Amino acid sequence: MQDEPEVAVVRLGHRPGRDDRMTTHVGLTARALGADRVVLPDNAAKSRDTIEDITERFGGPFSVELSGSQKALVRDWDGTVVHLTMYGERVQDVQDEIRAAHGDEPLLAVVGAEKVPFDVYEAADYNVGVTNQPHSEVAGLAVFLDRLFEGRELDREWVDARQRVVPEETGKTVRPADEE
Ligand code: SAM
């Protein structure tokens, strides 16, 4: 988030067609819950376009990149690398240490799709489980970011939005962002 060291999310692996929705949701969740950017595999252009469209309409700052070298990004990251996996240490046991590390340096959160190769487990500073049960990269990422930011991401200000949702008890109101 603004005025804090960067938080980036990298999505490992993408099967076009089958994973389109999930990869898009990884990016939308990263954006909505306080990350600064997402790096998607280079065959995920469709997901990138959807995330960019949402950012144009509902605001940023948030950026989306395609990359063919996900593993190099993880290996060469200058900061803390957190790999989310059901096999990892319990998030509730390591969240304070990770938050303290992120106070001083950028953080890269890594999520998989299919089987994640073991060298990613070795390259990570933390392998973190959001429960040690199998579920989804979207759910794991959401809980992790909320723990990292301690809920501050929910009050984040959006910049350059064309439209905004009016929170209300019942109804679905969307207004141009420059209208009160
Ligand atoms: N079975 C695959 C493996 O062994 O690497 C993982 C497949 S899972 C559907 C896809 C991704 O969801 C994982 O790579 C991980 O990032 C995330 N994930 C699933 N369960 C998780 C959990 N309990 N905690 C954190 N992340 C989880």
Side-chain angles (χ1 to χ4, degrees), residues 166-173:
V166 180
E168 55 193 358
E169 196 176 329
T170 313
K172 294 163 61 174
T173 307

Side-chain angles (χ1 to χ4, degrees), residues 147-162:
R147 295 275 169 138
L148 178 69
F149 295 125
E150 298 181 287
R152 283 177 290 111
E153 81 284 0
L154 301 179
D155 294 317
R156 167 185 178 173
E157 299 284 331
W158 297 97
V159 179
D160 293 334
R162 289 210 316 261

Side-chain angles (χ1 to χ4, degrees), residues 29-114:
T29 299
R31 170 187 170 275
L33 297 186
D36 300 288
R37 69 180 161 117
V38 68
V39 182
L40 304 179
D42 54 9
N43 60 354
K46 207 166 152 188
S47 294
R48 176 202 53 196
D49 294 348
T50 304
I51 300 160
E52 281 182 344
D53 177 58
I54 293 288
T55 302
E56 267 173 38
R57 286 159 53 200
F58 290 95
F62 186 75
S63 63
V64 194
E65 292 154 42
L66 298 184
S67 167
S69 49
Q70 253 70 7
K71 280 211 244 166
L73 178 71
V74 173
R75 205 177 43 238
D76 301 337
W77 183 256
D78 191 10
T80 307
V81 175
V82 177
H83 169 223
L84 296 174
T85 163
M86 63 182 273
Y87 305 106
E89 296 183 273
R90 302 183 330 153
V91 66
Q92 60 269 44
D93 295 340
V94 290
Q95 62 187 15
D96 293 347
E97 201 177 311
I98 292 173
R99 207 180 300 114
H102 175 241
D104 301 324
E105 59 185 26
L107 185 147
L108 181 66
V110 184
V111 297
E114 296 175 278

